[in-house]
Amino acid sequence: VPRFWLDVLLESPVAEFLNEDDVRVMEYLTDMVFVEAENPTISFHFAPNPYFSNAVITKSFRFVEDGLESQEFHRSEERRVG
C-alpha cells in the first residue's frame, strides 16, 4: 500500500512532530521495525529516494530513571548510486 507508514504516522500522536520535510521523506518509508529490549530500537526502512542513500536508519533509546532517553541515529551502509 503506497504511503502506508506515512499515513499511519500522520494519524498518530507523532504527527504533531512531523514537518513538511519529514513528510516528504516518509513518503519513501517502506517498513518500521520496533525491537523491544533493554535498549529498544526502531528501524526505518526506505525505498530509494532523492534525500539520502541509506536503506535503513535505526533510532536507539535507553531507559533512564525519568523514562526513555533518545540516542543517536545509526545508518546502514549506503546504497551504491549509478
Side-chain angles (χ1 to χ4, degrees), residues 1-11 26-27 29-32:
V1 176
R3 293 177 39 117
F4 174 79
W5 286 110
L6 174 59
D7 291 339
V8 167
L9 292 172
L10 290 175
E11 294 298 323
M26 293 300 175
E27 288 179 355
L29 185 63
T30 60
D31 198 11
M32 288 178 28

Side-chain angles (χ1 to χ4, degrees), residues 2-28:
R3 293 177 39 117
F4 174 79
W5 286 110
L6 174 59
D7 291 339
V8 167
L9 292 172
L10 290 175
E11 294 298 323
S12 76
V14 172
E16 69 180 272
F17 301 104
L18 298 177
N19 62 37
E20 288 180 27
D21 291 334
D22 296 329
V23 170
R24 282 193 285 275
V25 169
M26 293 300 175
E27 288 179 355
Y28 294 91

Side-chain angles (χ1 to χ4, degrees), residues 34-45:
F34 179 75
V35 176
E36 287 188 71
E38 184 175 326
N39 295 316
T41 62
I42 303 173
S43 294
F44 301 90
H45 297 252

Side-chain angles (χ1 to χ4, degrees), residues 33-80:
V33 177
F34 179 75
V35 176
E36 287 188 71
E38 184 175 326
N39 295 316
T41 62
I42 303 173
S43 294
F44 301 90
H45 297 252
F46 291 92
N49 65 79
Y51 302 105
F52 49 83
S53 59
N54 305 90
V56 180
I57 297 176
T58 301
K59 182 68 172 171
S60 299
F61 301 88
R62 69 183 179 115
F63 287 102
V64 294
E65 194 171 306
D66 297 337
L68 278 179
E69 178 179 86
S70 178
Q71 302 293 300
E72 291 185 23
F73 279 100
H74 302 279
R75 294 172 173 81
S76 67
E77 283 200 27
E78 295 185 18
R79 292 186 184 104
R80 294 183 98 187

